[in-house]
Amino acid sequence: MPRSGKRNRKNGRRPVKGLYYLFPTLLAILVSLLVVRAAAIALMMTGLDRRRAVFQALSAFTGTGFTTREAESVINHPQRRKIISRLMILGNAGIVAVMVTATSSLVAVEGVQIPINVIILVAGLLVIYKIATHRGFIKRWEQFIEDKLVKSRAMEEAPVEDLLHLLEGHGLVKLIVQEGSAHEGKTVMDFRSAIKGAIILGIEREGQWLPVPRHREVIQAGDRLVIYGRLTALETLRTER
């Protein structure tokens, strides 16, 4: 009898022990979701749009990777590299923690307690999903992270390449206007009408810089035009560049 009572008391503690592992599992999953959202906000502050920022943050955290073009937009940006690197480290640690605690929660129990723990785990995941998709909560969390990043000055201003989206089908060229060029004697407005999808950001003329030239500004021979636009439009300037 004493041995049986001792065994019952021991078995009675096993379900409770299993629950001890479930709560850390759910907590780790919730924290992981918040970390991914925080990283996405950090990436957005470097110039990425929301869709790409969320996708890259989730890809880095889970270790699934992304396309070569997407990878170039991260590798070529030092601030993004730092964010993605830290996110990969946290992702590896978080996934391992979830796997270990989730497995332990099932191994630590037996019999009827196994399906009970599974039900609790699924119910907890549903609650976490509701929290993660609640617009009000996510909006407040993202605003909190953004305010913290701004106040800490952890984020640098986006480089010109990202602000102008040079990796997304746009570019900058410098055109030297030769004598007899089709653009000589034309106005800035005429240039924009002739080259669809391109604008003149500035003109270098005789050692002076004319930023954002007026539409009526006449283009002269020897001018160096700094032009921004779609790559397809800039291709038409190849012969004169």
Side-chain angles (χ1 to χ4, degrees), residues 11-241:
N11 292 336
R13 288 196 298 268
R14 291 178 68 85
V16 177
K17 184 178 180 181
L19 292 178
Y20 284 160
Y21 289 110
L22 273 181
F23 292 120
T25 301
L26 297 174
L27 180 61
I29 294 174
L30 178 60
V31 171
S32 298
L33 293 174
L34 295 179
V35 167
V36 171
R37 281 288 180 174
I41 291 299
L43 290 173
M44 288 170 60
M45 294 180 68
T46 67
L48 281 182
D49 60 87
R50 174 177 289 273
R51 181 181 59 83
R52 290 189 177 184
V54 173
F55 175 75
Q56 289 200 6
L58 184 59
S59 299
F61 189 84
T62 57
T64 55
F66 31 83
T67 63
T68 302
R69 186 174 181 180
E70 295 284 346
E72 289 178 353
S73 66
V74 172
I75 294 174
N76 296 330
H77 194 293
Q79 194 67 36
R80 292 175 189 169
R81 285 200 305 269
K82 185 184 300 183
I83 296 171
I84 292 298
S85 299
R86 293 177 179 176
L87 197 57
M88 287 179 174
I89 296 173
L90 292 175
N92 290 332
I95 292 175
V96 171
V98 170
M99 293 178 61
V100 170
T101 54
T103 303
S104 300
S105 66
L106 298 177
V107 173
V109 296
E110 58 185 12
V112 71
Q113 292 300 326
I114 295 179
I116 292 177
N117 277 25
V118 172
I119 293 174
I120 295 175
L121 179 61
V122 172
L125 292 176
L126 290 176
V127 172
I128 292 176
Y129 175 78
K130 289 293 184 181
I131 295 175
T133 56
H134 190 276
R135 292 185 178 181
F137 174 79
I138 293 300
K139 186 176 181 180
R140 286 192 292 271
W141 171 249
E142 291 179 347
Q143 187 62 50
F144 170 78
I145 294 298
E146 186 173 350
D147 292 341
K148 289 296 182 181
L149 291 176
V150 170
K151 291 179 180 179
S152 65
R153 297 181 180 180
M155 304 304 300
E156 299 174 355
E157 294 184 358
V160 174
E161 289 81 1
D162 290 329
L163 293 176
L164 296 179
H165 298 275
L166 299 187
L167 298 178
E168 301 175 9
H170 293 74
L172 279 172
V173 297
K174 179 179 286 187
L175 173 66
I176 302 176
V177 181
Q178 307 290 343
E179 291 186 5
S181 169
H183 305 298
E184 182 183 5
K186 300 294 182 63
T187 64
V188 171
M189 177 60 74
D190 294 333
F191 176 91
R192 187 166 186 176
S193 299
I195 311 296
K196 300 293 185 180
I199 59 173
I200 299 176
L201 297 181
I203 300 176
E204 295 181 21
R205 178 181 297 163
E206 298 179 353
Q208 295 184 343
W209 171 247
L210 305 178
V212 193
R214 296 173 298 177
H215 293 324
R216 296 181 180 180
E217 185 71 39
V218 178
I219 300 174
Q220 304 175 12
D223 284 351
R224 297 172 180 264
L225 311 180
V226 178
I227 305 168
Y228 167 74
R230 296 194 300 269
L231 295 180
T232 53
L234 299 180
E235 282 293 325
T236 61
L237 303 173
R238 180 185 295 272
T239 57
E240 298 187 59
R241 193 169 57 190

